[in-house]
């Protein structure tokens, strides 16, 4: 092929590549990753906060909203069922604390006649749906972007939360179980989609802080869901009000999310050129906008992935033990009244949220200054979040009826769990950016099974809710922490895995080919 023919063909291919990347007409666009030359309104000037942090803040609110809608039933169900007069009998192995005073006579208060077994099924129904949509949610987020995979997931949860009072009135316990399963199906996409979004927006040097902020929304959701559910029910006198409140907030969040957030910097209409260039340099070499078929065999043969799964199992087992059963320990063993239990049970979540941000900042600083490798930093912070909480739980169980010491130790336990976020929680982003949603779906989906196992096992081991029985629960939790952490320390990695870069973006290949032809044309022009 002579130089003249090469010039003609090259000009055609370059125009095609430019138009597919940036729009139908190359004359209106700057080269390759540029933006429109003629823009009447400079929208980027309206935003002071960088767009990657706007996404992180909205992701934080997404997790917080998801958790408020998840946990509000834990408070509401105490008012939904029929209550009987309570007794204040002192039991051997528990404490003679400030037991709830009897608020009613021996007659029953109106409500649903659900026994403890039925209530347990209702409370666990959410996780049956939650587990199912993790993997599909991650795959959809990778293929089409996390914006609407996450957005519609939270929106559907909000809609079913609003419908909860109607479902209960129409179908009773069965109706409530069905709607909770449907809520779980919607929320199952949350973490995989967020991981896919972070893979496109979070540079390695900011990953600990952004991940801690986003995933730390879980603690704010736990605090808000618990505290405001009790407050709203007390003020309105109706359990239905909490579902209307949190469902409406979820719909409002979706509207803001749809307007403010986008799948990646390339599709963002008013991101600044400076930030876009920064993200392209930090992430462009590792991210393909549309990865090819998922390398399932390579993923499931990945040793660092299964080490991460083990760490997630350990974290979730300890976390769900505390989240689900700490109020039971306070009321059943320490004999706190319900008001004191609600206040003190929210304190550990607040401390965990603050500590997760501090640990995230510290981890980023350590990595940025190269005091540790990414791999060693992930292992170190995961170890802090595993061994520390387990030891605090054991010490709390041996503190007997010293309520101040018990509360301090449980709060310290949850605070140390905050190190999980810059540790193993963001490790999936280290392993892969192209398949971050799928990896998070696998890891978080398997870990979420402990949300069914842990509360059930605690119920079996503590039929009388004594100190001795609860000590066994905490010893088992410590054992799970240690074993899963040893696996993570032995085989975890903070390096990008080889199968992440196996996918090739057809558009990227076409642009690279056009660039090569440009070089050839320039060489021809020199000859001519």
């Amino acid at each position: 092929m002579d130089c003249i023919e090469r010039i003609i063909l090259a000009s055609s291919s370059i125009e095609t590549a430019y138009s597919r990347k940036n729009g139908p007409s190359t004359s209106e666009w700057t080269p390759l990753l540029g933006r429109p030359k003629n823009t009447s309104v400079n929208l980027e000037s309206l935003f002071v906060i960088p767009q990657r942090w706007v996404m992180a803040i909205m992701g934080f609110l997404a997790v917080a909203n998801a958790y408020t809608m998840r946990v509000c039933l834990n408070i509401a169900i105490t008012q939904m069922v029929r209550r009987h007069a309570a007794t204040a009998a002192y039991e051997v192995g528990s404490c003679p604390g400030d037991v709830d005073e009897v608020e009613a006579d021996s007659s029953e208060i109106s409500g649903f006649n659900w026994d403890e077994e039925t209530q347990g099924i209702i409370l666990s129904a959410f996780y049956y749906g939650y587990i199912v949509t993790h993997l599909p949610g991650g795959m959809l987020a990778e293929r089409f972007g996390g914006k609407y995979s996450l957005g519609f997931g939270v929106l559907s949860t909000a809609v079913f939360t609003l419908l909860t009072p109607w479902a209960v009135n129409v179908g009773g316990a069965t109706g409530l179980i069905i709607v909770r399963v449907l809520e779980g199906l919607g929320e199952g996409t949350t973490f995989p989609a967020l991981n896919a979004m972070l893979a496109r927006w979070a540079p390695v040097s900011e990953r600990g802080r952004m991940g801690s902020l986003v995933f730390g929304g879980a603690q704010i959701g736990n605090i808000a869901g618990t505290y405001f559910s009790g407050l709203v029910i007390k003020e309105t006198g109706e359990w239905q009000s909490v579902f209307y409140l949190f469902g409406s907030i979820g719909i409002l969040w979706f509207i803001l999310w749809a307007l403010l957030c986008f799948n990646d910097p390339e599709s963002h209409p008013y991101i600044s050129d400076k930030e876009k260039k920064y993200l392209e340099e930090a992430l462009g070499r590792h991210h393909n906008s549309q990865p090819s078929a998922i390398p399932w065999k390579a993923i499931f043969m990945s040793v660092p992935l299964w080490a991460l799964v083990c760490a997630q199992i350990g974290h979730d087992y300890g976390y769900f033990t505390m989240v689900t059963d700490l109020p039971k320990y306070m009321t059943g063993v320490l004999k706190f009244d319900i008001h004191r239990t609600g206040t003190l049970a929210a304190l550990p979540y607040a401390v965990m949220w603050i500590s997760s941000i501090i640990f995230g900042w510290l981890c980023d600083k350590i990595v940025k200054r190269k005091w540790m490798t990414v791999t060693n930093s992930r292992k170190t912070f995961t170890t802090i979040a595993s061994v520390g909480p387990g030891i605090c739980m054991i010490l709390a169980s041996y503190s007997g009826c010293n309520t101040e010491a018990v509360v301090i130790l449980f709060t310290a336990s949850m605070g140390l769990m905050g190190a999980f976020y810059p540790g193993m929680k963001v490790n999936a982003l280290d392993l892969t950016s192209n398949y971050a949603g799928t990896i998070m779906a696998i890891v978080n989906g398997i870990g979420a099974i402990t949300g069914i196992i842990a509360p059930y096992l605690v119920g079996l081991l503590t039929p009388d809710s004594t100190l001795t029985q609860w000590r066994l629960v905490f010893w088992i939790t410590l054992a799970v922490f240690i074993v899963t952490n040893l696996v993570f320390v032995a085989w975890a990695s903070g390096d990008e895995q080889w199968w992440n870069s196996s996918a090739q973006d057809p558009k990227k290949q076409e642009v690279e080919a056009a660039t090569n032809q440009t070089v050839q044309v320039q060489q021809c022009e020199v000859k001519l």
Side-chain angles (χ1 to χ4, degrees), residues 70-92:
R70 183 188 306 189
V71 305
C72 65
L73 179 63
N74 298 346
I75 301 298
I77 199 170
T78 64
Q79 304 300 312
M80 296 168 69
V81 298
R82 293 180 180 179
R83 293 171 291 161
H84 300 268
T87 61
Y90 173 72
E91 299 173 357
V92 177

PDB file of all heavy atoms in Angstrom, residues 70-92:
ATOM      1  N   ARG A  70     -33.548  -0.908  56.323  1.00  0.00           N
ATOM      2  CA  ARG A  70     -33.333  -2.284  56.746  1.00  0.00           C
ATOM      3  C   ARG A  70     -33.621  -2.480  58.234  1.00  0.00           C
ATOM      4  O   ARG A  70     -34.226  -3.473  58.622  1.00  0.00           O
ATOM      5  CB  ARG A  70     -31.883  -2.694  56.453  1.00  0.00           C
ATOM      6  CG  ARG A  70     -31.568  -4.126  56.798  1.00  0.00           C
ATOM      7  CD  ARG A  70     -30.086  -4.456  56.689  1.00  0.00           C
ATOM      8  NE  ARG A  70     -29.511  -4.119  55.402  1.00  0.00           N
ATOM      9  CZ  ARG A  70     -28.285  -4.483  55.024  1.00  0.00           C
ATOM     10  NH1 ARG A  70     -27.517  -5.161  55.858  1.00  0.00           N
ATOM     11  NH2 ARG A  70     -27.831  -4.139  53.837  1.00  0.00           N
ATOM     12  N   VAL A  71     -33.177  -1.538  59.080  1.00  0.00           N
ATOM     13  CA  VAL A  71     -33.231  -1.755  60.524  1.00  0.00           C
ATOM     14  C   VAL A  71     -34.467  -1.172  61.197  1.00  0.00           C
ATOM     15  O   VAL A  71     -34.721  -1.478  62.368  1.00  0.00           O
ATOM     16  CB  VAL A  71     -31.969  -1.181  61.208  1.00  0.00           C
ATOM     17  CG1 VAL A  71     -30.706  -1.759  60.600  1.00  0.00           C
ATOM     18  CG2 VAL A  71     -31.946   0.344  61.154  1.00  0.00           C
ATOM     19  N   CYS A  72     -35.232  -0.337  60.504  1.00  0.00           N
ATOM     20  CA  CYS A  72     -36.374   0.291  61.170  1.00  0.00           C
ATOM     21  C   CYS A  72     -37.383  -0.739  61.664  1.00  0.00           C
ATOM     22  O   CYS A  72     -38.076  -0.511  62.671  1.00  0.00           O
ATOM     23  CB  CYS A  72     -37.033   1.316  60.263  1.00  0.00           C
ATOM     24  SG  CYS A  72     -37.785   0.635  58.763  1.00  0.00           S
ATOM     25  N   LEU A  73     -37.461  -1.882  60.988  1.00  0.00           N
ATOM     26  CA  LEU A  73     -38.394  -2.928  61.428  1.00  0.00           C
ATOM     27  C   LEU A  73     -38.010  -3.490  62.793  1.00  0.00           C
ATOM     28  O   LEU A  73     -38.880  -3.917  63.559  1.00  0.00           O
ATOM     29  CB  LEU A  73     -38.447  -4.056  60.393  1.00  0.00           C
ATOM     30  CG  LEU A  73     -39.365  -5.238  60.728  1.00  0.00           C
ATOM     31  CD1 LEU A  73     -40.819  -4.786  60.811  1.00  0.00           C
ATOM     32  CD2 LEU A  73     -39.217  -6.352  59.697  1.00  0.00           C
ATOM     33  N   ASN A  74     -36.710  -3.489  63.116  1.00  0.00           N
ATOM     34  CA  ASN A  74     -36.267  -4.034  64.402  1.00  0.00           C
ATOM     35  C   ASN A  74     -36.906  -3.299  65.576  1.00  0.00           C
ATOM     36  O   ASN A  74     -37.188  -3.898  66.617  1.00  0.00           O
ATOM     37  CB  ASN A  74     -34.744  -3.946  64.518  1.00  0.00           C
ATOM     38  CG  ASN A  74     -34.030  -4.756  63.452  1.00  0.00           C
ATOM     39  OD1 ASN A  74     -34.634  -5.583  62.788  1.00  0.00           O
ATOM     40  ND2 ASN A  74     -32.744  -4.495  63.282  1.00  0.00           N
ATOM     41  N   ILE A  75     -37.126  -2.001  65.414  1.00  0.00           N
ATOM     42  CA  ILE A  75     -37.796  -1.222  66.455  1.00  0.00           C
ATOM     43  C   ILE A  75     -39.308  -1.301  66.297  1.00  0.00           C
ATOM     44  O   ILE A  75     -40.046  -1.489  67.270  1.00  0.00           O
ATOM     45  CB  ILE A  75     -37.343   0.245  66.396  1.00  0.00           C
ATOM     46  CG1 ILE A  75     -35.825   0.339  66.572  1.00  0.00           C
ATOM     47  CG2 ILE A  75     -38.056   1.073  67.457  1.00  0.00           C
ATOM     48  CD1 ILE A  75     -35.312  -0.168  67.887  1.00  0.00           C
ATOM     49  N   ALA A  76     -39.781  -1.190  65.067  1.00  0.00           N
ATOM     50  CA  ALA A  76     -41.221  -1.146  64.832  1.00  0.00           C
ATOM     51  C   ALA A  76     -41.922  -2.432  65.262  1.00  0.00           C
ATOM     52  O   ALA A  76     -43.055  -2.398  65.751  1.00  0.00           O
ATOM     53  CB  ALA A  76     -41.504  -0.873  63.356  1.00  0.00           C
ATOM     54  N   ILE A  77     -41.241  -3.571  65.101  1.00  0.00           N
ATOM     55  CA  ILE A  77     -41.900  -4.841  65.397  1.00  0.00           C
ATOM     56  C   ILE A  77     -42.228  -4.985  66.879  1.00  0.00           C
ATOM     57  O   ILE A  77     -43.164  -5.698  67.246  1.00  0.00           O
ATOM     58  CB  ILE A  77     -41.032  -6.027  64.910  1.00  0.00           C
ATOM     59  CG1 ILE A  77     -41.902  -7.285  64.789  1.00  0.00           C
ATOM     60  CG2 ILE A  77     -39.842  -6.267  65.841  1.00  0.00           C
ATOM     61  CD1 ILE A  77     -41.184  -8.431  64.093  1.00  0.00           C
ATOM     62  N   THR A  78     -41.504  -4.264  67.737  1.00  0.00           N
ATOM     63  CA  THR A  78     -41.816  -4.316  69.172  1.00  0.00           C
ATOM     64  C   THR A  78     -43.169  -3.674  69.465  1.00  0.00           C
ATOM     65  O   THR A  78     -43.801  -3.984  70.488  1.00  0.00           O
ATOM     66  CB  THR A  78     -40.727  -3.602  69.993  1.00  0.00           C
ATOM     67  OG1 THR A  78     -40.700  -2.212  69.647  1.00  0.00           O
ATOM     68  CG2 THR A  78     -39.357  -4.215  69.735  1.00  0.00           C
ATOM     69  N   GLN A  79     -43.614  -2.782  68.585  1.00  0.00           N
ATOM     70  CA  GLN A  79     -44.917  -2.151  68.745  1.00  0.00           C
ATOM     71  C   GLN A  79     -45.994  -2.816  67.894  1.00  0.00           C
ATOM     72  O   GLN A  79     -47.187  -2.575  68.116  1.00  0.00           O
ATOM     73  CB  GLN A  79     -44.822  -0.670  68.356  1.00  0.00           C
ATOM     74  CG  GLN A  79     -43.768   0.103  69.114  1.00  0.00           C
ATOM     75  CD  GLN A  79     -44.010   0.103  70.609  1.00  0.00           C
ATOM     76  OE1 GLN A  79     -45.124   0.364  71.067  1.00  0.00           O
ATOM     77  NE2 GLN A  79     -42.972  -0.204  71.380  1.00  0.00           N
ATOM     78  N   MET A  80     -45.570  -3.649  66.956  1.00  0.00           N
ATOM     79  CA  MET A  80     -46.531  -4.305  66.078  1.00  0.00           C
ATOM     80  C   MET A  80     -47.163  -5.536  66.727  1.00  0.00           C
ATOM     81  O   MET A  80     -48.297  -5.897  66.404  1.00  0.00           O
ATOM     82  CB  MET A  80     -45.854  -4.707  64.768  1.00  0.00           C
ATOM     83  CG  MET A  80     -45.357  -3.520  63.947  1.00  0.00           C
ATOM     84  SD  MET A  80     -44.263  -3.980  62.594  1.00  0.00           S
ATOM     85  CE  MET A  80     -45.405  -4.828  61.499  1.00  0.00           C
ATOM     86  N   VAL A  81     -46.420  -6.188  67.611  1.00  0.00           N
ATOM     87  CA  VAL A  81     -46.914  -7.425  68.216  1.00  0.00           C
ATOM     88  C   VAL A  81     -47.622  -7.131  69.533  1.00  0.00           C
ATOM     89  O   VAL A  81     -47.439  -6.075  70.145  1.00  0.00           O
ATOM     90  CB  VAL A  81     -45.766  -8.418  68.454  1.00  0.00           C
ATOM     91  CG1 VAL A  81     -45.115  -8.805  67.142  1.00  0.00           C
ATOM     92  CG2 VAL A  81     -44.733  -7.847  69.418  1.00  0.00           C
ATOM     93  N   ARG A  82     -48.422  -8.078  69.962  1.00  0.00           N
ATOM     94  CA  ARG A  82     -49.106  -7.950  71.245  1.00  0.00           C
ATOM     95  C   ARG A  82     -48.108  -8.082  72.379  1.00  0.00           C
ATOM     96  O   ARG A  82     -47.239  -8.944  72.363  1.00  0.00           O
ATOM     97  CB  ARG A  82     -50.185  -9.037  71.383  1.00  0.00           C
ATOM     98  CG  ARG A  82     -51.325  -8.870  70.399  1.00  0.00           C
ATOM     99  CD  ARG A  82     -52.358  -9.964  70.575  1.00  0.00           C
ATOM    100  NE  ARG A  82     -53.453  -9.793  69.633  1.00  0.00           N
ATOM    101  CZ  ARG A  82     -54.491 -10.619  69.537  1.00  0.00           C
ATOM    102  NH1 ARG A  82     -54.564 -11.687  70.315  1.00  0.00           N
ATOM    103  NH2 ARG A  82     -55.452 -10.383  68.662  1.00  0.00           N
ATOM    104  N   ARG A  83     -48.243  -7.205  73.363  1.00  0.00           N
ATOM    105  CA  ARG A  83     -47.350  -7.234  74.512  1.00  0.00           C
ATOM    106  C   ARG A  83     -48.095  -7.697  75.744  1.00  0.00           C
ATOM    107  O   ARG A  83     -49.274  -7.423  75.925  1.00  0.00           O
ATOM    108  CB  ARG A  83     -46.775  -5.831  74.760  1.00  0.00           C
ATOM    109  CG  ARG A  83     -45.833  -5.343  73.676  1.00  0.00           C
ATOM    110  CD  ARG A  83     -45.495  -3.890  73.871  1.00  0.00           C
ATOM    111  NE  ARG A  83     -46.670  -3.043  73.613  1.00  0.00           N
ATOM    112  CZ  ARG A  83     -46.787  -1.796  74.042  1.00  0.00           C
ATOM    113  NH1 ARG A  83     -45.832  -1.256  74.753  1.00  0.00           N
ATOM    114  NH2 ARG A  83     -47.871  -1.097  73.756  1.00  0.00           N
ATOM    115  N   HIS A  84     -47.360  -8.369  76.597  1.00  0.00           N
ATOM    116  CA  HIS A  84     -47.930  -8.857  77.854  1.00  0.00           C
ATOM    117  C   HIS A  84     -47.195  -8.199  79.017  1.00  0.00           C
ATOM    118  O   HIS A  84     -46.111  -7.643  78.858  1.00  0.00           O
ATOM    119  CB  HIS A  84     -47.805 -10.378  77.962  1.00  0.00           C
ATOM    120  CG  HIS A  84     -48.511 -11.106  76.851  1.00  0.00           C
ATOM    121  ND1 HIS A  84     -49.808 -11.536  76.945  1.00  0.00           N
ATOM    122  CD2 HIS A  84     -48.083 -11.447  75.605  1.00  0.00           C
ATOM    123  CE1 HIS A  84     -50.167 -12.127  75.813  1.00  0.00           C
ATOM    124  NE2 HIS A  84     -49.125 -12.095  74.986  1.00  0.00           N
ATOM    125  N   ALA A  85     -47.771  -8.303  80.162  1.00  0.00           N
ATOM    126  CA  ALA A  85     -47.130  -7.749  81.353  1.00  0.00           C
ATOM    127  C   ALA A  85     -45.799  -8.431  81.583  1.00  0.00           C
ATOM    128  O   ALA A  85     -45.663  -9.641  81.463  1.00  0.00           O
ATOM    129  CB  ALA A  85     -48.030  -7.936  82.569  1.00  0.00           C
ATOM    130  N   ALA A  86     -44.791  -7.650  81.906  1.00  0.00           N
ATOM    131  CA  ALA A  86     -43.452  -8.179  82.113  1.00  0.00           C
ATOM    132  C   ALA A  86     -43.209  -8.465  83.580  1.00  0.00           C
ATOM    133  O   ALA A  86     -43.859  -7.929  84.467  1.00  0.00           O
ATOM    134  CB  ALA A  86     -42.410  -7.186  81.613  1.00  0.00           C
ATOM    135  N   THR A  87     -42.280  -9.337  83.841  1.00  0.00           N
ATOM    136  CA  THR A  87     -41.876  -9.647  85.205  1.00  0.00           C
ATOM    137  C   THR A  87     -40.449  -9.211  85.399  1.00  0.00           C
ATOM    138  O   THR A  87     -39.663  -9.148  84.463  1.00  0.00           O
ATOM    139  CB  THR A  87     -41.983 -11.154  85.484  1.00  0.00           C
ATOM    140  OG1 THR A  87     -41.118 -11.850  84.590  1.00  0.00           O
ATOM    141  CG2 THR A  87     -43.412 -11.642  85.286  1.00  0.00           C
ATOM    142  N   ALA A  88     -40.092  -8.921  86.644  1.00  0.00           N
ATOM    143  CA  ALA A  88     -38.757  -8.435  86.951  1.00  0.00           C
ATOM    144  C   ALA A  88     -38.000  -9.441  87.798  1.00  0.00           C
ATOM    145  O   ALA A  88     -37.215  -9.084  88.657  1.00  0.00           O
ATOM    146  CB  ALA A  88     -38.844  -7.095  87.652  1.00  0.00           C
ATOM    147  N   ALA A  89     -38.252 -10.679  87.590  1.00  0.00           N
ATOM    148  CA  ALA A  89     -37.600 -11.718  88.374  1.00  0.00           C
ATOM    149  C   ALA A  89     -36.110 -11.751  88.084  1.00  0.00           C
ATOM    150  O   ALA A  89     -35.688 -11.687  86.948  1.00  0.00           O
ATOM    151  CB  ALA A  89     -38.226 -13.069  88.059  1.00  0.00           C
ATOM    152  N   TYR A  90     -35.308 -11.883  89.136  1.00  0.00           N
ATOM    153  CA  TYR A  90     -33.859 -11.950  88.977  1.00  0.00           C
ATOM    154  C   TYR A  90     -33.460 -13.362  88.609  1.00  0.00           C
ATOM    155  O   TYR A  90     -33.876 -14.326  89.238  1.00  0.00           O
ATOM    156  CB  TYR A  90     -33.171 -11.527  90.268  1.00  0.00           C
ATOM    157  CG  TYR A  90     -31.683 -11.723  90.241  1.00  0.00           C
ATOM    158  CD1 TYR A  90     -30.882 -10.894  89.463  1.00  0.00           C
ATOM    159  CD2 TYR A  90     -31.083 -12.743  90.969  1.00  0.00           C
ATOM    160  CE1 TYR A  90     -29.517 -11.070  89.419  1.00  0.00           C
ATOM    161  CE2 TYR A  90     -29.712 -12.928  90.934  1.00  0.00           C
ATOM    162  CZ  TYR A  90     -28.934 -12.082  90.163  1.00  0.00           C
ATOM    163  OH  TYR A  90     -27.575 -12.267  90.127  1.00  0.00           O
ATOM    164  N   GLU A  91     -32.660 -13.507  87.564  1.00  0.00           N
ATOM    165  CA  GLU A  91     -32.211 -14.815  87.106  1.00  0.00           C
ATOM    166  C   GLU A  91     -30.747 -14.998  87.434  1.00  0.00           C
ATOM    167  O   GLU A  91     -29.945 -14.068  87.348  1.00  0.00           O
ATOM    168  CB  GLU A  91     -32.418 -14.930  85.590  1.00  0.00           C
ATOM    169  CG  GLU A  91     -33.866 -14.795  85.164  1.00  0.00           C
ATOM    170  CD  GLU A  91     -33.992 -14.752  83.653  1.00  0.00           C
ATOM    171  OE1 GLU A  91     -32.940 -14.771  82.979  1.00  0.00           O
ATOM    172  OE2 GLU A  91     -35.123 -14.696  83.162  1.00  0.00           O
ATOM    173  N   VAL A  92     -30.379 -16.216  87.815  1.00  0.00           N
ATOM    174  CA  VAL A  92     -28.996 -16.531  88.101  1.00  0.00           C
ATOM    175  C   VAL A  92     -28.180 -16.383  86.814  1.00  0.00           C
ATOM    176  O   VAL A  92     -28.549 -16.886  85.773  1.00  0.00           O
ATOM    177  CB  VAL A  92     -28.864 -17.978  88.638  1.00  0.00           C
ATOM    178  CG1 VAL A  92     -27.391 -18.319  88.875  1.00  0.00           C
ATOM    179  CG2 VAL A  92     -29.668 -18.156  89.910  1.00  0.00           C
TER     180      VAL A  92
END
